[in-house]
Amino acid sequence: MDLIELINKYKNKIWDDSILIEYDLFFNNSFKENCKFVFDDNKKLKELNDVILEIKKIDKNAEIYVNTYGINFENKKIFIYADTLWIDTIVKLDEMFNIFRDFSEIEPSDIVSLDINETIDGTVSLVFSLDGRIEDYESFIRNRRLSKIKSLYWD
């Protein structure tokens, strides 16, 4: 799937909104120059991948999404910016904090379980998945238990 083509296709719907992009799609090497996470250092990104692997060892069904905070459509080149992960997992908050103890260089500023207040602000419009599925944000939230979604934020 070509993320940039999809972003362009849905440009009018996501112009001023955030989107959720499945982790592996956001960090796909072919989109590296377009997708910018709060830290772009290769060493830190490798550590982040190691954290994701640790979470997936505990919960093989964990779903990880990157929550964007901006998309720049200027100059016919798209840049997507993000500083937050949403992880739909059975891993508890205290376990999540413990995982990051081994990766202190990339420890998030905040790790919380989502509640309705984080989900109704209307700033997220679409969810892009690796398999090419594009889901309306409201459907995405309706089909999940919010308490299972952990928001990891870096500032």
Side-chain angles (χ1 to χ4, degrees):
M1 171 168 86
D2 189 325
L3 176 63
I4 302 308
E5 282 182 20
L6 284 172
I7 298 289
N8 256 329
K9 181 178 178 181
Y10 290 94
K11 181 178 184 176
N12 291 334
K13 183 163 178 131
I14 61 176
W15 191 265
D16 290 326
D17 291 343
S18 297
I19 57 176
L20 294 177
I21 303 171
E22 195 168 349
Y23 182 88
D24 290 335
L25 182 58
F26 184 88
F27 287 104
N28 181 323
N29 282 335
S30 61
F31 307 126
K32 187 166 176 62
E33 71 178 53
N34 302 90
C35 296
K36 306 293 181 189
F37 199 65
V38 68
F39 47 82
D40 269 342
D41 174 84
N42 284 334
K43 182 180 180 227
K44 288 182 179 180
L45 289 175
K46 184 193 177 317
E47 284 189 25
L48 183 60
N49 283 325
D50 291 344
V51 166
I52 298 304
L53 290 174
E54 287 297 316
I55 292 168
K56 289 210 170 223
K57 279 183 194 173
I58 300 167
D59 179 6
K60 68 178 185 229
N61 296 317
E63 296 178 29
I64 298 111
Y65 295 87
V66 177
N67 188 354
T68 67
Y69 65 81
I71 302 174
N72 183 338
F73 291 99
E74 293 179 21
N75 301 325
K76 296 186 181 188
K77 182 146 178 113
I78 295 174
F79 292 99
I80 306 165
Y81 302 98
D83 58 6
T84 305
L85 296 181
W86 279 16
I87 304 177
D88 188 350
T89 182
I90 60 170
V91 175
K92 296 185 179 359
L93 280 176
D94 57 339
E95 292 175 279
M96 195 79 66
F97 281 107
N98 285 335
I99 292 170
F100 275 99
R101 285 197 179 124
D102 294 331
F103 301 96
S104 60
E105 288 290 313
I106 61 161
E107 189 171 5
S109 306
D110 202 9
I111 303 174
V112 297
S113 288
L114 288 187
D115 65 29
I116 197 68
N117 294 328
E118 283 94 3
T119 61
I120 59 171
D121 62 9
T123 61
V124 178
S125 57
L126 295 174
V127 181
F128 293 82
S129 296
L130 189 60
D131 63 7
R133 237 176 340 113
I134 296 159
E135 188 174 0
D136 180 77
Y137 173 73
E138 289 179 16
S139 299
F140 175 84
I141 290 300
R142 235 187 342 267
N143 293 326
R144 283 160 178 77
R145 262 192 26 228
L146 290 181
S147 62
K148 283 182 53 193
I149 300 177
K150 312 306 182 286
S151 175
L152 289 66
Y153 168 74
W154 287 262
D155 63 6

